[in-house]
């Protein structure tokens, strides 16, 4: 069993809500997740002081934290930086690695940077990045739960205030399915939702769950989460992925469960001698079964 806490869009700087950040840290201290996932937009305007404040808060959580950047972590108005060193301040004042990974006996987690320096507000993911991701997951033992952490929107979902997906979303979804990914966590929308890949991308050869976290600590929530703050508690065992969407309750200054989901795992069979995986459909492949 692995327990993960998913946060997003903490946006240190204007509109950051320190009391909500304290509530999130208190939850981490109380529940001691195996891993914290932070899916981008650490700052509001990619300033040094904002990154340093984000770093201090992340370090204070006292648990392993896997972080990817978001579009707000690239300078918007400092044009020279945006063009020639879009992640320079992030690297100097938050973390050198834009695409960290986490592995243990039960998890294989890969961070993907979907933020870029130019006009891709909605993000993008390139073919060569997907090829590297597929190769990395193919090298993992089959039973590990494969998880992707990214900032931007993968799934086209009706009813959201900004339903636009990142460039290459369909191609990315197909690659995730081939790679046996079981869970994708993201942010950016400032509005939480959970959707299955079968609903968002009918016809994929494989299935996974997509979880979008709202903004955990910014006052810029959108849609149904205007002025609200959310996070996701995730429990993964051999049988299922259980998700609890949490919402900050200002009355009690705590995160409380709003909705729950449970998705059966689709475990891979153990590799046969020679490393070939035979699925029960008779197909041979290195991805999920
Ligand atoms: Fe954001
Ligand atoms: Fe964003």
């Amino acid at each position: 069993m692995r327990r993960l806490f998913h946060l997003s869009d903490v946006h240190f700087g204007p509109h950051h809500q320190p009391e909500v950040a304290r509530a999130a840290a208190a939850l981490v201290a109380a529940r001691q997740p195996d891993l914290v996932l932070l899916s981008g937009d650490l700052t509001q305007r990619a300033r040094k002081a904002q990154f340093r404040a984000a770093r201090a808060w992340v370090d204070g959580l006292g648990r392993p934290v896997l972080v990817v950047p978001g579009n707000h972590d690239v300078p918007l108005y400092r044009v020279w930086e945006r063009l020639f060193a879009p992640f320079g301040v992030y690297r100097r004042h938050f973390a050198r690695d834009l695409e960290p990974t986490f592995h243990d006996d039960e998890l294989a987690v890969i961070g993907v940077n979907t933020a870029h320096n130019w006009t891709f507000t909605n993000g993008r993911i390139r073919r060569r990045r997907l090829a590297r991701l597929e190769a990395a997951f193919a090298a993992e033992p089959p039973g590990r739960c494969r998880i992707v952490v990214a900032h931007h929107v993968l799934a086209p979902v009706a009813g959201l205030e900004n339903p636009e997906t990142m460039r290459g979303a369909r191609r990315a979804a197909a690659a995730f399915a081939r790679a046996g990914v079981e869970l994708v966590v993201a942010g950016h929308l400032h509005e939480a939702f959970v959707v299955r890949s079968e609903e968002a991308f009918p016809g994929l050869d494989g299935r996974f769950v997509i979880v979008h976290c709202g903004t955990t600590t910014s006052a810029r929530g959108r849609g149904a989460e205007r002025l609200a703050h959310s996070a996701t508690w995730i429990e993964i065992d051999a049988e299922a992925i259980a998700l609890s969407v949490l919402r900050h309750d200002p009355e009690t200054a705590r995160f409380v469960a709003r909705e729950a989901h449970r998705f059966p795992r689709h475990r891979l069979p153990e590799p046969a001698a020679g490393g070939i995986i035979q699925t029960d459909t008779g197909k041979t492949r290195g991805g999920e079964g």
Side-chain angles (χ1 to χ4, degrees):
M1 154 84 88
R2 290 290 181 267
R3 301 152 77 241
L4 293 81
F5 187 42
H6 172 211
L7 314 165
S8 199
D9 296 75
V10 289
H11 283 291
F12 279 80
H15 315 292
H16 178 76
Q17 306 294 300
E19 73 280 9
V20 185
R22 281 193 289 275
L27 188 146
V28 171
R31 297 194 187 181
Q32 296 285 300
D34 298 293
L35 178 64
V36 177
L37 306 173
L38 179 45
S39 51
D41 279 0
L42 310 179
T43 69
Q44 184 62 25
R45 281 288 166 249
R47 297 192 182 283
K48 289 179 201 170
Q50 293 170 4
F51 279 121
R52 287 187 191 136
R55 183 76 255 173
W57 180 74
V58 165
D59 288 345
L61 296 178
R63 301 299 301 160
V65 185
L66 188 148
V67 188
V68 294
N71 52 303
H72 276 258
D73 301 321
V74 173
L76 179 61
Y77 301 118
R78 305 191 307 270
V79 175
W80 190 94
E81 275 181 71
R82 177 152 58 98
L83 283 176
F84 299 109
F87 297 103
V89 184
Y90 183 100
R91 284 193 152 119
R92 280 195 300 278
H93 299 282
F94 186 79
R96 291 208 60 77
D97 192 353
L98 302 177
E99 297 192 316
T101 59
F102 178 92
H103 314 258
D104 69 11
D105 290 345
E106 298 182 32
L107 301 177
V109 190
I110 295 184
V112 176
N113 176 20
T114 56
H116 291 271
N117 63 350
W118 197 231
T119 54
F120 299 103
T121 308
N122 293 318
R124 72 174 170 187
I125 184 162
R126 289 182 158 144
R127 279 190 175 83
R128 62 175 180 261
R129 178 63 188 101
L130 291 171
R132 282 193 287 122
L133 181 132
E134 285 193 69
F137 278 133
E140 294 285 342
R144 289 182 185 171
C145 185
R146 287 145 164 77
I147 302 173
V148 172
V149 183
H151 178 65
H152 286 94
V153 182
L154 181 71
V157 172
L160 296 171
E161 192 170 301
N162 173 18
E164 286 192 44
T165 57
M166 72 173 94
R167 258 191 192 205
R170 170 90 204 179
R171 187 168 60 224
F176 296 164
R178 282 195 301 272
V181 168
E182 294 187 66
L183 178 65
V184 177
V185 305
H188 185 61
L189 290 170
H190 296 198
E191 194 171 355
F193 72 87
V194 177
V195 66
R196 296 167 187 255
S197 62
E198 304 96 285
E199 300 161 41
F201 301 100
L204 286 187
D205 185 18
R207 63 183 194 275
F208 51 89
V209 178
I210 302 161
V211 179
H212 270 267
C213 184
T215 170
T216 303
T217 62
S218 168
R220 296 172 66 246
R222 295 199 194 106
E225 290 187 52
R226 206 166 292 281
L227 298 176
H229 306 282
S230 59
T232 324
W233 184 258
I234 303 166
E235 294 188 348
I236 302 171
D237 62 20
E239 305 301 324
I241 297 174
L243 305 173
S244 179
V245 178
L246 310 177
R247 179 79 67 86
H248 182 255
D249 173 17
E251 295 285 311
T252 59
R254 296 170 65 158
F255 279 88
V256 294
R258 292 272 297 201
E259 60 182 74
H261 304 264
R262 186 176 166 85
F263 301 98
R265 294 278 311 275
H266 46 99
R267 283 170 293 174
L268 293 166
E270 292 298 319
I276 303 298
I277 297 169
Q278 284 290 342
T279 69
D280 55 7
T281 60
K283 284 194 244 172
T284 303
R285 55 183 172 170
E288 54 82 30

PDB file of all heavy atoms in Angstrom, residues 229-244:
ATOM      1  N   HIS A 229     -10.229  25.711  -2.235  1.00  0.00           N
ATOM      2  CA  HIS A 229      -8.890  25.113  -2.288  1.00  0.00           C
ATOM      3  C   HIS A 229      -9.024  23.605  -2.198  1.00  0.00           C
ATOM      4  O   HIS A 229      -9.709  23.112  -1.295  1.00  0.00           O
ATOM      5  CB  HIS A 229      -8.043  25.615  -1.122  1.00  0.00           C
ATOM      6  CG  HIS A 229      -7.993  27.102  -1.050  1.00  0.00           C
ATOM      7  ND1 HIS A 229      -7.199  27.851  -1.875  1.00  0.00           N
ATOM      8  CD2 HIS A 229      -8.672  27.967  -0.285  1.00  0.00           C
ATOM      9  CE1 HIS A 229      -7.381  29.131  -1.600  1.00  0.00           C
ATOM     10  NE2 HIS A 229      -8.273  29.234  -0.655  1.00  0.00           N
ATOM     11  N   SER A 230      -8.354  22.898  -3.103  1.00  0.00           N
ATOM     12  CA  SER A 230      -8.494  21.447  -3.072  1.00  0.00           C
ATOM     13  C   SER A 230      -7.154  20.734  -3.113  1.00  0.00           C
ATOM     14  O   SER A 230      -6.097  21.341  -3.360  1.00  0.00           O
ATOM     15  CB  SER A 230      -9.401  20.969  -4.214  1.00  0.00           C
ATOM     16  OG  SER A 230      -8.893  21.354  -5.459  1.00  0.00           O
ATOM     17  N   ALA A 231      -7.210  19.448  -2.843  1.00  0.00           N
ATOM     18  CA  ALA A 231      -6.052  18.554  -2.866  1.00  0.00           C
ATOM     19  C   ALA A 231      -6.603  17.144  -3.049  1.00  0.00           C
ATOM     20  O   ALA A 231      -7.825  16.956  -3.023  1.00  0.00           O
ATOM     21  CB  ALA A 231      -5.266  18.664  -1.560  1.00  0.00           C
ATOM     22  N   THR A 232      -5.735  16.172  -3.274  1.00  0.00           N
ATOM     23  CA  THR A 232      -6.206  14.799  -3.481  1.00  0.00           C
ATOM     24  C   THR A 232      -5.411  13.850  -2.593  1.00  0.00           C
ATOM     25  O   THR A 232      -4.176  13.925  -2.570  1.00  0.00           O
ATOM     26  CB  THR A 232      -6.001  14.357  -4.949  1.00  0.00           C
ATOM     27  OG1 THR A 232      -6.232  15.451  -5.823  1.00  0.00           O
ATOM     28  CG2 THR A 232      -6.914  13.205  -5.315  1.00  0.00           C
ATOM     29  N   TRP A 233      -6.110  12.995  -1.893  1.00  0.00           N
ATOM     30  CA  TRP A 233      -5.467  11.921  -1.127  1.00  0.00           C
ATOM     31  C   TRP A 233      -5.618  10.640  -1.939  1.00  0.00           C
ATOM     32  O   TRP A 233      -6.720  10.315  -2.396  1.00  0.00           O
ATOM     33  CB  TRP A 233      -6.109  11.772   0.248  1.00  0.00           C
ATOM     34  CG  TRP A 233      -5.421  10.756   1.087  1.00  0.00           C
ATOM     35  CD1 TRP A 233      -5.816   9.491   1.352  1.00  0.00           C
ATOM     36  CD2 TRP A 233      -4.167  10.940   1.764  1.00  0.00           C
ATOM     37  NE1 TRP A 233      -4.893   8.863   2.146  1.00  0.00           N
ATOM     38  CE2 TRP A 233      -3.864   9.719   2.414  1.00  0.00           C
ATOM     39  CE3 TRP A 233      -3.254  11.996   1.861  1.00  0.00           C
ATOM     40  CZ2 TRP A 233      -2.702   9.544   3.168  1.00  0.00           C
ATOM     41  CZ3 TRP A 233      -2.095  11.818   2.619  1.00  0.00           C
ATOM     42  CH2 TRP A 233      -1.829  10.603   3.264  1.00  0.00           C
ATOM     43  N   ILE A 234      -4.516   9.934  -2.153  1.00  0.00           N
ATOM     44  CA  ILE A 234      -4.502   8.775  -3.045  1.00  0.00           C
ATOM     45  C   ILE A 234      -3.946   7.568  -2.288  1.00  0.00           C
ATOM     46  O   ILE A 234      -2.868   7.679  -1.678  1.00  0.00           O
ATOM     47  CB  ILE A 234      -3.607   9.054  -4.279  1.00  0.00           C
ATOM     48  CG1 ILE A 234      -4.088  10.311  -5.018  1.00  0.00           C
ATOM     49  CG2 ILE A 234      -3.568   7.848  -5.219  1.00  0.00           C
ATOM     50  CD1 ILE A 234      -3.081  10.844  -6.045  1.00  0.00           C
ATOM     51  N   GLU A 235      -4.656   6.452  -2.329  1.00  0.00           N
ATOM     52  CA  GLU A 235      -4.142   5.217  -1.732  1.00  0.00           C
ATOM     53  C   GLU A 235      -4.117   4.138  -2.809  1.00  0.00           C
ATOM     54  O   GLU A 235      -5.130   3.908  -3.492  1.00  0.00           O
ATOM     55  CB  GLU A 235      -5.001   4.790  -0.542  1.00  0.00           C
ATOM     56  CG  GLU A 235      -4.900   5.808   0.590  1.00  0.00           C
ATOM     57  CD  GLU A 235      -5.557   5.374   1.889  1.00  0.00           C
ATOM     58  OE1 GLU A 235      -6.297   4.375   1.888  1.00  0.00           O
ATOM     59  OE2 GLU A 235      -5.328   6.072   2.890  1.00  0.00           O
ATOM     60  N   ILE A 236      -2.970   3.502  -2.945  1.00  0.00           N
ATOM     61  CA  ILE A 236      -2.777   2.510  -4.008  1.00  0.00           C
ATOM     62  C   ILE A 236      -2.333   1.196  -3.367  1.00  0.00           C
ATOM     63  O   ILE A 236      -1.304   1.152  -2.689  1.00  0.00           O
ATOM     64  CB  ILE A 236      -1.708   2.984  -5.013  1.00  0.00           C
ATOM     65  CG1 ILE A 236      -2.121   4.327  -5.626  1.00  0.00           C
ATOM     66  CG2 ILE A 236      -1.485   1.926  -6.098  1.00  0.00           C
ATOM     67  CD1 ILE A 236      -1.031   4.976  -6.461  1.00  0.00           C
ATOM     68  N   ASP A 237      -3.122   0.160  -3.563  1.00  0.00           N
ATOM     69  CA  ASP A 237      -2.672  -1.167  -3.141  1.00  0.00           C
ATOM     70  C   ASP A 237      -2.734  -2.100  -4.336  1.00  0.00           C
ATOM     71  O   ASP A 237      -2.928  -1.643  -5.473  1.00  0.00           O
ATOM     72  CB  ASP A 237      -3.475  -1.686  -1.937  1.00  0.00           C
ATOM     73  CG  ASP A 237      -4.963  -1.862  -2.241  1.00  0.00           C
ATOM     74  OD1 ASP A 237      -5.326  -1.951  -3.438  1.00  0.00           O
ATOM     75  OD2 ASP A 237      -5.757  -1.925  -1.294  1.00  0.00           O
ATOM     76  N   ALA A 238      -2.593  -3.391  -4.110  1.00  0.00           N
ATOM     77  CA  ALA A 238      -2.538  -4.324  -5.238  1.00  0.00           C
ATOM     78  C   ALA A 238      -3.873  -4.413  -5.964  1.00  0.00           C
ATOM     79  O   ALA A 238      -3.932  -4.830  -7.117  1.00  0.00           O
ATOM     80  CB  ALA A 238      -2.111  -5.699  -4.745  1.00  0.00           C
ATOM     81  N   GLU A 239      -4.949  -4.020  -5.294  1.00  0.00           N
ATOM     82  CA  GLU A 239      -6.278  -4.195  -5.873  1.00  0.00           C
ATOM     83  C   GLU A 239      -6.838  -2.941  -6.537  1.00  0.00           C
ATOM     84  O   GLU A 239      -7.584  -3.028  -7.502  1.00  0.00           O
ATOM     85  CB  GLU A 239      -7.260  -4.628  -4.769  1.00  0.00           C
ATOM     86  CG  GLU A 239      -6.845  -5.874  -4.002  1.00  0.00           C
ATOM     87  CD  GLU A 239      -6.674  -7.074  -4.918  1.00  0.00           C
ATOM     88  OE1 GLU A 239      -7.462  -7.182  -5.882  1.00  0.00           O
ATOM     89  OE2 GLU A 239      -5.754  -7.875  -4.682  1.00  0.00           O
ATOM     90  N   ALA A 240      -6.547  -1.781  -5.972  1.00  0.00           N
ATOM     91  CA  ALA A 240      -7.267  -0.583  -6.424  1.00  0.00           C
ATOM     92  C   ALA A 240      -6.482   0.700  -6.173  1.00  0.00           C
ATOM     93  O   ALA A 240      -5.562   0.744  -5.349  1.00  0.00           O
ATOM     94  CB  ALA A 240      -8.616  -0.490  -5.707  1.00  0.00           C
ATOM     95  N   ILE A 241      -6.894   1.711  -6.915  1.00  0.00           N
ATOM     96  CA  ILE A 241      -6.452   3.084  -6.656  1.00  0.00           C
ATOM     97  C   ILE A 241      -7.667   3.798  -6.057  1.00  0.00           C
ATOM     98  O   ILE A 241      -8.705   3.922  -6.710  1.00  0.00           O
ATOM     99  CB  ILE A 241      -6.018   3.786  -7.953  1.00  0.00           C
ATOM    100  CG1 ILE A 241      -4.810   3.065  -8.558  1.00  0.00           C
ATOM    101  CG2 ILE A 241      -5.693   5.259  -7.690  1.00  0.00           C
ATOM    102  CD1 ILE A 241      -4.398   3.609  -9.920  1.00  0.00           C
ATOM    103  N   ALA A 242      -7.527   4.252  -4.824  1.00  0.00           N
ATOM    104  CA  ALA A 242      -8.627   4.956  -4.146  1.00  0.00           C
ATOM    105  C   ALA A 242      -8.267   6.437  -4.047  1.00  0.00           C
ATOM    106  O   ALA A 242      -7.166   6.794  -3.616  1.00  0.00           O
ATOM    107  CB  ALA A 242      -8.839   4.372  -2.756  1.00  0.00           C
ATOM    108  N   LEU A 243      -9.185   7.290  -4.492  1.00  0.00           N
ATOM    109  CA  LEU A 243      -8.945   8.734  -4.506  1.00  0.00           C
ATOM    110  C   LEU A 243      -9.954   9.414  -3.598  1.00  0.00           C
ATOM    111  O   LEU A 243     -11.142   9.096  -3.628  1.00  0.00           O
ATOM    112  CB  LEU A 243      -9.151   9.296  -5.915  1.00  0.00           C
ATOM    113  CG  LEU A 243      -8.360   8.674  -7.054  1.00  0.00           C
ATOM    114  CD1 LEU A 243      -8.845   9.259  -8.373  1.00  0.00           C
ATOM    115  CD2 LEU A 243      -6.886   8.963  -6.868  1.00  0.00           C
ATOM    116  N   SER A 244      -9.484  10.376  -2.865  1.00  0.00           N
ATOM    117  CA  SER A 244     -10.383  11.212  -2.080  1.00  0.00           C
ATOM    118  C   SER A 244     -10.075  12.665  -2.430  1.00  0.00           C
ATOM    119  O   SER A 244      -8.957  13.135  -2.221  1.00  0.00           O
ATOM    120  CB  SER A 244     -10.148  10.944  -0.588  1.00  0.00           C
ATOM    121  OG  SER A 244     -10.986  11.759   0.183  1.00  0.00           O
TER     122      SER A 244
END
